[in-house]
Amino acid sequence: MTDSQTWLPQLIEVAEPLHADWVSMRRYLHQNPELSDSEYQTTEYLTCAFTKLGLPTHIPVDKRGLTADLVTFKHDPNRWIAIRGDIDALPISDSKAVDYRSTCDGVMHACGHDVHATVVVAAMQILTAMHKANRLPWPIAVRAILQPSEELATGARYMIHHHALRDIDAILALHVDPTRSVGCIGLRHGTLTAACDAIHVTITGNGGHGARPHLTNDPIDAITHWVQSAFRRLGRTVNAHQTVVFSVGELHAGHSTNVIPDSAALSGSLRSLDAHSRRIALETLEDVCRATEIENNCKVKMELGFSAPAVINDDSLVDLLTDTATAAFTAGAIEWIDEPSMGSEDFSYYLKQIPGAMFRLGVAGDQVGHAPLHTPAFDIDEQAIMVGAKLFAASVIAYFDPQRTPIPTENS
């Protein structure tokens, strides 16, 4: 790879004065969160940011999510890379006592998507400024993808359907990580996050008076048996060396203390690291349904809701991020991730189409950034925005290094 010392100092020189603008953008997004499938104002705001950079944008017909392109080739590029961020928030109330806390009751960027979006815009701003100042060492072709509805695991497929990956050969993404300090980059070859399936179970029995349970087929009794059986059976049918995590997060039944209802329902998530263990786990849960029907004389129906495959990082792109992070920061900035996360990410759907890699961006500072994801106190040390923007921008430039061997793809 060509010596990055010839262009990295110029990248850093361009980036440093822009940090205050990025903080303002992140804080605006944090103050104005929108839930999945409702990211209209966020899309409009980010579109304006790219328009100010002079970059052509594309917005799907539903007006949620967008792409923006920067192409510096004189003719059509023979390779493209994308950098992806997500823009939806969570139904969580912001508990922080800061002037940029959410202004929307019960809605909050508790997973860092405000940061992800800002870092993508910031990286494009760096690259655009370098291009206009004739500081890019060679031509590049990069697409920013800002997708909606990651929390529902539908946004990536939505953007793919609207041609976000057209002509793209590789893709990079990030996720904030409050377990890592600002300046740290978490990397892992291979599987980074688990596959996730939403499980919905409905049990229909025959309700009646709470004083005469013998005249009913009690769905509450049946659903408690189902939960206990599912936890026990999964531990006995899935290989202990193949990690599977099943959790029940919702349980709904009844409306009165002295009435046995006709039905009960639950929802949960099944997380797995490989296709074989996922198949065995789903078959086991179906077996539990059949056994529950027989034992409780109730009708049991299991349905799969949203799902996301495992995120499996491409080795060559992890190496690209490693080399770039080492050059832009230091080798000590990289923290290798020992085990895959059992969390999930719909970034995996892009990886079903093209090679890609996701890195973890440390956001924990001395005073802020330690609260876990998906909690009311979640926040970041905003110095992390600069780290993520530099790494994205530098990785895009390094990807087009004439001395770098391209990753074979269908588009190549």
Side-chain angles (χ1 to χ4, degrees), residues 238-400:
V238 178
N239 188 322
H241 297 290
Q242 296 175 321
T243 304
V244 168
V245 175
F246 177 63
S247 299
V248 175
E250 294 183 63
L251 186 60
H252 304 279
H255 55 81
S256 179
T257 59
N258 62 347
V259 177
I260 295 173
D262 289 324
S263 64
L266 65 80
S267 295
S269 62
L270 176 70
R271 300 169 187 274
S272 51
L273 293 177
D274 64 86
H276 176 73
S277 59
R278 176 180 181 268
R279 178 178 62 81
I280 295 298
L282 289 174
E283 290 175 354
T284 298
L285 294 180
E286 291 284 5
D287 289 344
V288 171
C289 290
R290 287 189 288 270
T292 302
E293 282 189 329
I294 295 171
E295 292 173 8
N296 297 273
N297 196 25
C298 292
K299 182 179 180 181
V300 182
K301 181 180 181 181
M302 187 178 86
E303 296 179 302
L304 296 184
F306 73 80
S307 64
V311 169
I312 303 176
N313 281 340
D314 177 83
D315 286 347
S316 296
L317 290 171
V318 173
D319 291 343
L320 172 71
L321 289 167
T322 302
D323 293 341
T324 306
T326 300
F329 312 112
T330 65
I334 299 170
E335 294 183 350
W336 290 101
I337 301 171
D338 294 331
E339 301 291 341
S341 166
M342 296 310 293
S344 64
E345 243 286 353
D346 83 341
F347 179 64
S348 54
Y349 282 105
Y350 299 109
L351 306 189
K352 291 290 185 181
Q353 307 293 320
I354 57 174
M358 172 177 279
F359 65 89
R360 302 293 194 192
L361 178 67
V363 297
D366 292 337
Q367 304 297 325
V368 67
H370 299 271
L373 298 169
H374 289 219
T375 65
F378 178 77
D379 202 356
I380 70 155
D381 185 318
E382 290 168 327
Q383 290 299 317
I385 298 172
M386 177 64 75
V387 177
K390 286 180 181 178
L391 182 54
F392 258 159
S395 296
V396 167
I397 294 173
Y399 178 78
F400 290 94

Side-chain angles (χ1 to χ4, degrees), residues 177-182 184-186 335-337 360-365 369:
D177 188 344
T179 71
R180 301 181 194 279
S181 300
V182 170
C184 290
I185 303 296
E335 294 183 350
W336 290 101
I337 301 171
R360 302 293 194 192
L361 178 67
V363 297

Side-chain angles (χ1 to χ4, degrees), residues 149-210:
S149 303
E150 189 281 327
E151 296 294 349
L152 299 182
T154 58
R157 285 175 289 175
Y158 165 86
M159 294 301 289
I160 292 169
H161 175 74
H162 289 286
H163 312 299
L165 290 186
R166 179 177 289 170
D167 299 323
I168 301 298
D169 300 285
I171 187 168
L172 300 175
L174 79 157
H175 203 295
V176 295
D177 188 344
T179 71
R180 301 181 194 279
S181 300
V182 170
C184 290
I185 303 296
L187 288 173
R188 177 176 169 80
H189 289 94
T191 303
L192 179 69
T193 70
C196 179
D197 292 282
I199 307 293
H200 304 289
V201 176
T202 302
I203 296 184
T204 305
N206 180 31
H209 200 294

Side-chain angles (χ1 to χ4, degrees), residues 127-139:
L127 295 170
T128 301
M130 292 182 70
H131 170 54
K132 291 179 177 178
N134 199 29
R135 290 184 168 187
L136 287 175
W138 41 73

